[in-house]
Amino acid sequence: MNAFYNKQGIGDVLLVQLQTETPEKILPEQNGDVTLIKDEAGEIAGFNLFNASSYAELPEGKKVEVTEALVTSLQNALSKNEIDFTLEVDFSPKFVVGFVESKEKHPNADKLNVCQVSVGGEQLQIVCGAPNVEQGQKVVVAKVGAVMPSGMVIRDAELRGVASSGMICSAKELALPDAPQEKGILVLPEDAEVGSAFQVKA
C-alpha cells in the first residue's frame, strides 16, 4: 500500500494505492468521503479519501509513510463511510540491503545484466543496466511496491523478454546527498547486513 498527500497541490485528499499496477480501465465508486477505484474485475485498486485531515494526522509532503496508526485511521474512515473492506498491508521494508549472488549477460541486450540478488530470506531476479554491477557486491534493492524519491513506483517488469522483480539502486536514484552524477549503482560496505532495511527519504 502506498499513500500520497499534497494539500497545496490537490487539496485535502489522501490518495491510497493498493495495487502496484495501474488498472487499464478505472471504475470509480463514490461512498461519502471515499471514492473507490476499482479495476475491470471489480477489485479495489485504491481509493481517494476526501477531507482526509479529519480522519488522520497527515504530514505535508507527497509521500506518506504507511504506519500501523495510519492504516487504523484509514480502516476507521472506510467504516464511517459504510465501506466493508479490510486493508491488508505489508509492513516489511521496501528498500533493503541485497547481495549479488550472480551476474550474467542479458541474452537480448548488450548493456543489460541479469542478476540474482539475495535480500535475506528470498532471492530476486533483477535486470540491471549499471556498468559497475558485479557478483559479490552488497547493494541497495528497491523491492516491488517501493516508491522512489522521484515518485516512481517499482513494479514487476519484463525487460527485453527477461523478468525483473525490483531495482538495484544508484545513490542518485536514492536522492542521497553528494550522489555522483556518473552512472552506476551504490555499492555498500562489506559489513552491511543483507536483508536489513535501508532508510530512504521520500
Side-chain angles (χ1 to χ4, degrees):
M1 178 175 123
N2 292 309
F4 306 88
Y5 184 70
N6 184 357
K7 191 171 185 179
Q8 287 187 333
I10 59 173
D12 192 13
V13 184
L14 181 69
L15 311 179
V16 178
Q17 181 184 34
L18 300 176
Q19 297 178 1
T20 55
E21 298 294 333
T22 302
E24 289 185 15
K25 188 175 182 181
I26 292 175
L27 304 171
E29 183 181 298
Q30 186 77 31
N31 292 70
D33 280 337
V34 177
T35 299
L36 296 176
I37 309 297
K38 294 187 175 182
D39 60 21
E40 289 180 288
E43 297 288 325
I44 297 175
F47 60 89
N48 297 341
L49 177 63
F50 295 85
N51 301 309
S53 61
S54 67
Y55 293 98
E57 286 188 26
L58 297 167
E60 280 296 337
K62 294 180 182 178
K63 178 76 169 66
V64 177
E65 183 182 359
V66 177
T67 62
E68 291 188 34
L70 177 66
V71 172
T72 298
S73 296
L74 294 180
Q75 191 67 67
N76 290 337
L78 292 175
S79 298
K80 286 178 183 176
N81 287 277
E82 300 181 352
I83 295 170
D84 184 16
F85 178 73
T86 301
L87 294 169
E88 296 179 2
V89 181
D90 176 13
F91 287 105
S92 65
K94 293 294 179 280
F95 293 91
V96 296
V97 176
F99 179 76
V100 182
E101 300 277 1
S102 67
K103 173 191 123 174
E104 295 180 359
K105 276 294 191 187
H106 192 294
N108 304 315
D110 291 339
K111 293 185 178 180
L112 297 178
N113 293 293
V114 182
C115 300
Q116 303 298 326
V117 186
S118 171
V119 291
E122 66 176 322
Q123 187 163 297
L124 304 175
Q125 177 170 288
I126 300 176
V127 176
C128 180
N132 66 327
V133 66
E134 295 293 346
Q135 180 179 345
Q137 289 172 333
K138 300 275 182 78
V139 296
V140 179
V141 174
K143 298 172 73 174
V144 171
V147 179
M148 302 300 294
S150 66
M152 179 179 73
V153 179
I154 302 300
R155 299 180 169 91
D156 279 313
E158 191 172 288
L159 300 173
R160 295 286 187 91
V162 176
S164 182
S165 296
M167 185 171 80
I168 301 175
C169 303
S170 69
K172 187 177 179 182
E173 289 164 334
L174 296 167
L176 298 180
D178 302 321
Q181 293 303 305
E182 61 268 16
K183 286 188 175 181
I185 58 165
L186 174 66
V187 179
L188 298 174
E190 288 187 11
D191 61 356
E193 184 181 347
V194 175
S196 63
F198 186 89
Q199 294 301 319
V200 176
K201 291 184 178 180

